[in-house]
Amino acid sequence: MTTTRTTAASALLLLSALALAGCATTPGGAAPGDTGASGSDTGSAAPSQDADVEAAWLDGGRAVGLVTYGSSSCQPVVGEVTASGQTVTVELTDPEGTACTRDYVPRASYVGLPAGVDPTQDVDIVVTGGYTGDADLDGVAGLEGPTGEVTGDMVPSAGWFDDASLVLLTWGSSSCPPVFETVALDGDAVRATEAAGAADQVCTMDYAPRLSVLGVDGVSDDARPGEIVLVSPAGDEQRIAVIG
């Protein structure tokens, strides 16, 4: 009888030990120390986006139009701009708290160049911040370059950034950029006709640079027009030299 009772007691002790061991096992079979998280850090900043970046001369060489691709309703925000010789570094981020449309189009941001950059010589542009990328601009003889003034003369200007695409700079209300109903070759120039704004359109009273990216069918790299003719909704015309 003593042997039987001892065996039963040992069996009970063994079962209790196994039960305790089972309770100590991490749920789901995860290894000790594993929190079960997916590995993403929701508190970390969004990673930079590798971006296709292009650039066009504007404002007599005092500024460039920096072209990126993405949502038309989320214009990238230009932060710090610095220069080391002919290398210009531009901080570029997406606007915060903005709902973005799902289209994918070229957008241009106005970048005033730091004093000391020579637009008659080649310029390298490096983009940092929410975007990463780079662009090269060939120097153009006759450009004045930055003088410390961000806005220059505040007159319209334009520059080619691709075989058949240009950036147009106009000045006015930042909330009412121009919309062009037609853009086409017209002899040795590009004719861009601005559409009339809505009758109930309300515009802010600021006076800011507005950049429009215009594609022109039928243009080749070796025969790009040197002028663009802006036609206002009232039919008034203004001829502007296109750099590049």
Side-chain angles (χ1 to χ4, degrees):
M1 291 296 295
T2 302
T3 303
T4 303
R5 289 173 182 174
T6 301
T7 303
S10 299
L12 289 173
L13 288 173
L14 178 59
L15 289 173
S16 298
L18 290 173
L20 288 173
C23 292
T25 303
T26 305
D34 188 349
T35 62
S38 63
S40 61
D41 183 2
T42 57
S44 62
S48 296
Q49 305 176 47
D50 290 330
D52 291 329
V53 181
E54 299 178 87
W57 288 114
L58 296 173
D59 209 7
R62 290 181 284 264
V64 298
L66 195 59
V67 180
T68 56
Y69 295 81
S71 171
S72 60
S73 65
C74 288
Q75 180 73 24
V77 178
V78 176
E80 185 179 18
V81 181
T82 59
S84 176
Q86 290 294 100
T87 298
V88 177
T89 301
V90 182
E91 182 183 29
L92 202 64
T93 58
D94 281 328
E96 295 183 357
T98 302
C100 302
T101 55
R102 292 182 178 273
D103 56 343
Y104 190 79
V105 299
R107 306 88 45 95
S109 303
Y110 182 90
V111 179
L113 295 178
V117 178
D118 183 359
T120 66
Q121 304 297 318
D122 295 350
V123 173
D124 295 325
I125 300 176
V126 178
V127 176
T128 63
Y131 292 81
T132 56
D134 57 79
D136 300 325
L137 267 176
D138 294 336
V140 177
L143 295 182
E144 298 177 12
T147 59
E149 296 290 334
V150 175
T151 57
D153 297 327
M154 292 188 179
V155 296
S157 62
W160 294 102
F161 71 88
D162 198 358
D163 290 353
S165 300
L166 59 86
V167 176
L168 171 66
L169 165 65
T170 57
W171 297 85
S173 172
S174 60
S175 65
C176 294
V179 176
F180 295 93
E181 56 184 19
T182 59
V183 178
L185 282 176
D186 184 9
D188 59 352
V190 175
R191 177 174 290 267
T193 303
E194 184 178 349
D200 59 350
Q201 186 178 46
V202 178
C203 301
T204 56
M205 296 296 291
D206 59 338
Y207 196 73
R210 294 100 48 96
L211 272 61
S212 305
V213 177
L214 305 180
V216 188
D217 292 335
V219 174
S220 61
D221 185 41
D222 57 351
R224 293 188 296 197
E227 283 189 322
I228 181 171
V229 180
L230 297 186
V231 184
S232 73
D236 300 324
E237 296 186 2
Q238 182 179 13
R239 301 184 77 91
I240 300 168
V242 184
I243 305 171

